[in-house]
Amino acid sequence: MPSPSPTIEPPHGPENPPTTRRALVRDSWAVGAATGVYGLSFGAVSVASGLSTLQTCLLSLVMFTGASQFAFVGVVASGASPFSGAASALLLGTRNTFYGIGLAPRLALRPARRALAAHVVIDESSAMAVTRPDTASVRTAFWHTGGSVFLLWNLATLCGALAGDALGDPRTFGLDAAVGAAFLALLWPRLGTATNRRVALVAAIVAITLVPATPAGVPVLVAGSVALLVGLLSPEEQR
Amino acid sequence: MNDSTTLWVALGIACVGAYLLKWAGMSLPQQVLDRPTARRAAALIPVALLAALVAVQVVASGTRLVLDARLAGLAFAVAALLLRAPFLVVVFGAAVVAALLRLA
């Protein structure tokens, strides 16, 4: 559901990575493909955790936020109450609220379309969209990334659920490393200011420190909040 | 409630709640967003979360810290970014490096 408005094309060059509409669509679908494949492992893990194929597919269709989905089935698999699984999933989902706060003014959508857009507010669509220079390219990056992840993630979930453990591990193809590289590439252009570099460093250190101590997903949330606080308490930089 | 009902109810709550959390962020009134602190926060949130996601994607395996081929993939990504390589080269180059190391 891309925006029909034309995109202003800045000159290409080392200082201006390609942001033509075509390049943006291609990059968005590349992120969608790299992320969507992980639906295979979600589908397989979910049925292995005791959920039905229908429940597994509903999680991808309706919850549609990967870390929360993994948290839900992970807690259910551990034998804990499904309600504590729901609590973990919702805790992780709060980061999408923050993404929405950043996205809403940049997307500038009418309420009806905003309600639809809210469904595809996830890590990838937010990261691809928030730094774009104009509304048209914010919308293009958002809808194409969100749409491609939604489509491919759900197809992959169904395949993973049906095939179960018979399928190969996406790790064989290094796709786990690709996701980290994609997040880094998205972070890279924002490391220009000292505050942002400090925030990034604090977030990475806090996240790594928390990994052994907290359930999966919590480190990102806590590290994000702590680093945000550090950034807000830092003095404003002269521009 | 039997186990099956409990699972369905929890699943429903989690699914509806996840959507409402997304919708709430998109629907906060503009006055809230126009405050300088909110603007700074909105700019810093992606930096903080992306850095945490990079860290966790590369060294976490469940609740364990694991140094494996993903780190080599990230090193490739850093080098490629320093050389101003295109996005696709950064991402799929990192995958190829990690996959080749695992084959070796």
Side-chain angles (χ1 to χ4, degrees), chain A residues 82-163:
Chain A
F83 290 112
S84 50
S88 309
L90 291 176
L91 181 66
L92 282 170
T94 53
R95 74 191 184 295
N96 294 324
T97 308
F98 289 101
Y99 292 156
I101 294 170
L103 277 167
R106 293 178 170 91
L107 281 169
L109 299 170
R110 289 158 192 269
R113 190 163 278 203
R114 200 170 58 204
L116 179 65
H119 193 53
V120 289
V121 172
I122 53 169
D123 295 330
E124 292 78 12
S125 57
S126 309
M128 286 296 282
V130 283
T131 52
R132 305 296 162 187
D134 54 90
T135 306
S137 43
V138 167
R139 289 179 177 173
T140 301
F142 177 79
W143 287 116
H144 278 275
T145 308
S148 63
V149 173
F150 185 79
L151 181 69
L152 298 169
W153 174 260
N154 277 289
L155 286 174
T157 297
L158 179 62
C159 294
L162 293 177

Side-chain angles (χ1 to χ4, degrees), chain A residues 16 30 32 34 48 54 56 60-61 78 84 95 103 123 137 143 155 173 182 184 197 214 219-220 235 237:
Chain A
N16 285 310
L54 175 64
T56 299
S60 281
L61 282 167
S78 75
S84 50
R95 74 191 184 295
L103 277 167
D123 295 330
S137 43
W143 287 116
L155 286 174
F173 312 104
L184 182 68
R197 283 193 293 271
T214 56
V220 170
E237 283 166 48

Side-chain angles (χ1 to χ4, degrees), chain A residues 14-15 26 30-31 55 58 62-64 72 82-83 86 90 93-94 96-101 104 107 114-115 117-119 121 171-174 176-185 187-188 190 196 199-200 203-204 207-208 211-212 214 220 223-224 227-228 231-232 234 236, chain B residues 1 6-11 13-15 17-19 21-28 30 33 37 40-42 44-60 62-65 68 70 73-74 77-78 81-82 84 87-88 90-92 94-95 98-99 102:
Chain A
E15 301 303 327
R26 188 195 60 205
V31 170
Q55 288 169 328
L58 279 177
V62 184
M63 186 182 280
F64 187 54
F72 184 81
F83 290 112
L90 291 176
T94 53
N96 294 324
T97 308
F98 289 101
Y99 292 156
I101 294 170
L107 281 169
R114 200 170 58 204
H119 193 53
V121 172
R171 285 165 38 91
T172 314
F173 312 104
D176 50 345
V179 177
F183 285 135
L184 182 68
L187 172 63
W188 199 261
R190 296 172 218 204
N196 284 7
V199 164
I208 290 171
V211 163
T214 56
V220 170
L228 176 64
L232 288 177
S234 301
E236 289 269 13
Chain B
M1 272 196 287
T6 307
L7 183 56
W8 273 111
V9 171
L11 189 146
I13 292 171
C15 283
Y19 175 78
L21 285 169
K22 294 172 179 177
W23 181 82
M26 292 284 270
S27 305
L28 279 177
Q30 193 63 43
L33 305 173
T37 312
R40 288 194 73 202
L44 284 168
I45 284 163
V47 175
L49 283 171
L50 282 171
L53 282 166
V54 171
V56 168
Q57 281 288 342
V58 171
V59 296
T63 56
R64 287 182 308 128
L65 293 175
D68 62 14
R70 286 175 295 177
L74 189 75
V78 171
L81 287 164
L82 286 172
R84 302 175 189 280
F87 186 85
L88 287 179
V90 174
V91 173
F92 287 106
R102 285 182 181 136

